[in-house]
Amino acid sequence: MALEMRVLQADEWDALYDHLELAFGGVPDSSETRELFRSLTEVERSLAVWDGQTCVGSASAFSFRLSVPGGAPVPAAGVTMVGVAPTHRRGGILSSLMRRQLDDVRAGGEPLAVLTASEPAIYGRFGYGIAAHELSLDIDTDRAGLSVPPGTDALRLRIVDPAKALGDCERVYAELVARRPGMPARQPGWERLPLLDPESDREGASRLMCVVAERPDGEVAGYARYRVKPDWDAAGAPRGTVMVRNLDALDPAAAAALWRYLFGIDLTSTLRVGRRPVDDPVLHLLGDARRARPSTADALHVRLVDLPAALRARGYGAALDVVLEVEDAFCPWNAGRWRLVSAGPGGAVSCVRTEDPADLALSARELGAAYLGGVALTSLAGAGLVRELRPGALAAASRAFAGDVAPWLPHGF
């Protein structure tokens, strides 16, 4: 029987989600997780491939607005729910889904598509570049040491119900979006994601808890959500773990107050936190950062769907006039020579086709990697992925593309 690709119907959602659970190992999600993503799914942006009555492939997208260097949040397709049934792999289904999806994203006027990858090697061939990484820490709180900046003691900490504190926490998050590239501006419904707390996902830890840091005037300047997992060693000494889900703060004092609180929770000796920006300031508060056992992994993959619109939408840290020779076999409308001109920070930006000689040659994947300012064009050139055709062009473009802070994706999708 021939396979059929079509836009998902609302009454087919359960079949698609069942297919995804099978494609990702067969372990069912909790009912709470399932219902949340049912409510968030944009059915009209969901593609399914059918073999008769069986869903064997899928790809969906969320309508995001993504923070970028020096500019307003940019419309972006948050690619999600991508999977192919084990029985139908290596038959071209994924390529067909990516082809249709990127065509739809372009038709919808979104300059960017972004995703997180279960297998990072898959998406480079479709023009996605790894633009943001994430930091994980497993801190020995007995030995790492923690110092705090002036003003930390002025913050008042309160333990609050996570749901009741949601409004204050969301205001903090919204203010941070403009400060760091890679963060999705929260769309309606997404505020429920960080509160998701099914018992089946707790791994023996407590329910989700929340602490807020308040300034003297009562304004919430930061918050942390966490669980505690009790444990004791063979001699009966406590060695519990604090498992941090979120920590967001508007200033150094609030952040330090929250870290100090988490370090000091009774009966614990380990602080475990993932999905942090790779330049997280907490690394500079530690007396011995080795005791944090830091590790990094890829986080956000970026694809320029409308190249000139995407390059015009972000700001640049220095004046720039460069001609890019772009290779893009999967989205050929992006291929060719583009003149990118920026007046510098806060200045006008233009990006137009040109016949002028190229200064740099690269693929759409490398542009995606450099787009959020966290991956240097000079680094990509060192790997042979960007070629300098005019002396001096590489250094100038790399400085202009670079961001002041590392891009960060605070939650998955």
Side-chain angles (χ1 to χ4, degrees):
M1 183 178 295
L3 301 180
E4 179 189 7
M5 181 193 300
R6 64 174 186 266
V7 175
L8 191 73
Q9 300 299 308
D11 61 1
E12 296 172 330
W13 187 90
D14 281 306
L16 179 144
Y17 208 81
D18 289 343
H19 144 73
L20 281 171
E21 288 183 340
L22 178 62
F24 281 87
V27 179
D29 282 336
S30 67
S31 59
E32 296 96 326
T33 301
R34 191 176 179 111
E35 286 308 309
L36 175 59
F37 279 95
R38 183 197 296 271
S39 70
L40 293 175
T41 298
E42 298 175 42
V43 176
E44 69 281 3
R45 303 199 67 177
S46 302
L47 300 170
V49 177
W50 302 87
D51 187 346
Q53 300 300 309
T54 303
C55 181
V56 297
S58 63
S60 186
F62 297 118
S63 300
F64 284 162
R65 296 188 65 82
L66 191 77
S67 58
V68 300
V74 175
V79 176
T80 187
M81 298 186 185
V82 179
V84 177
T87 51
H88 288 68
R89 288 182 180 143
R90 287 172 286 278
I93 291 177
L94 179 60
S95 294
S96 297
L97 286 164
M98 293 292 100
R99 169 78 281 136
R100 168 70 181 275
Q101 185 178 65
L102 286 172
D103 289 342
D104 289 349
V105 171
R106 183 192 185 202
E110 290 165 313
L112 300 175
V114 297
L115 57 82
T116 62
S118 57
E119 296 183 79
I122 291 176
Y123 292 97
R125 60 191 162 125
F126 305 120
Y128 287 87
I130 300 172
H133 292 75
E134 63 186 27
L135 174 71
S136 294
L137 303 171
D138 203 26
I139 306 173
D140 180 346
T141 54
D142 289 334
R143 305 176 72 180
L146 185 75
S147 59
V148 298
T152 301
D153 292 336
L155 278 295
R156 173 177 179 246
L157 300 181
R158 288 193 303 115
I159 297 175
V160 293
D161 180 277
K164 292 181 179 178
L166 184 59
D168 288 327
C169 296
E170 286 299 295
R171 281 190 286 275
V172 171
Y173 179 92
E175 187 169 334
L176 293 176
V177 168
R179 301 186 188 182
R180 190 179 287 271
M183 296 181 68
R186 206 91 85 189
Q187 301 299 306
W190 282 92
E191 75 282 353
R192 296 171 53 199
L193 181 64
L195 299 187
L196 196 62
D197 188 31
E199 189 168 356
S200 59
D201 291 352
R202 294 178 186 171
E203 301 177 5
S206 70
R207 61 177 173 80
L208 189 68
M209 294 182 276
C210 181
V211 59
V212 298
E214 294 178 339
R215 293 170 176 154
D217 61 2
E219 181 185 3
V220 172
Y223 64 92
R225 299 187 184 102
Y226 65 96
R227 297 189 184 105
V228 177
K229 186 174 183 179
D231 196 12
W232 284 262
D233 65 18
R239 59 173 191 182
T241 299
V242 180
M243 306 167 72
V244 181
R245 174 177 289 185
N246 313 115
L247 190 153
D248 291 320
L250 298 178
D251 57 57
L258 293 166
W259 285 116
R260 185 171 63 181
Y261 167 84
L262 296 168
F263 263 63
I265 292 176
D266 287 343
L267 307 180
T268 68
S269 59
T270 300
L271 183 61
R272 186 166 298 151
V273 54
R275 206 184 287 275
R276 299 298 301 170
V278 296
D279 61 349
D280 196 317
V282 71
L283 293 171
H284 303 292
L285 300 179
L286 300 176
D288 184 354
R290 295 181 186 178
R291 299 294 181 181
R293 295 181 286 275
S295 62
T296 60
D298 64 286
L300 191 65
H301 298 229
V302 172
R303 212 289 178 213
L304 275 63
V305 180
D306 183 335
L307 183 149
L311 293 180
R312 288 194 300 264
R314 58 154 292 176
Y316 297 87
L320 180 66
D321 186 348
V322 65
V323 175
L324 306 173
E325 179 81 51
V326 179
E327 176 190 346
D328 195 344
F330 203 72
C331 294
W333 56 82
N334 288 329
R337 291 182 192 170
W338 299 90
R339 186 175 210 107
L340 174 62
V341 179
S342 169
V349 180
S350 67
C351 184
V352 296
R353 285 198 178 273
T354 182
E355 298 298 324
D356 293 340
D359 300 320
L360 297 177
L362 72 172
S363 78
R365 181 181 63 185
E366 280 64 65
L367 268 182
Y371 185 74
L372 295 179
V375 177
L377 287 170
T378 50
S379 178
L380 295 169
L385 299 172
V386 176
R387 291 186 296 118
E388 184 178 54
L389 305 176
R390 175 176 61 82
L394 175 62
S398 193
R399 284 192 297 270
F401 269 80
D404 294 329
V405 295
W408 178 45
L409 177 67
H411 61 78
F413 54 89

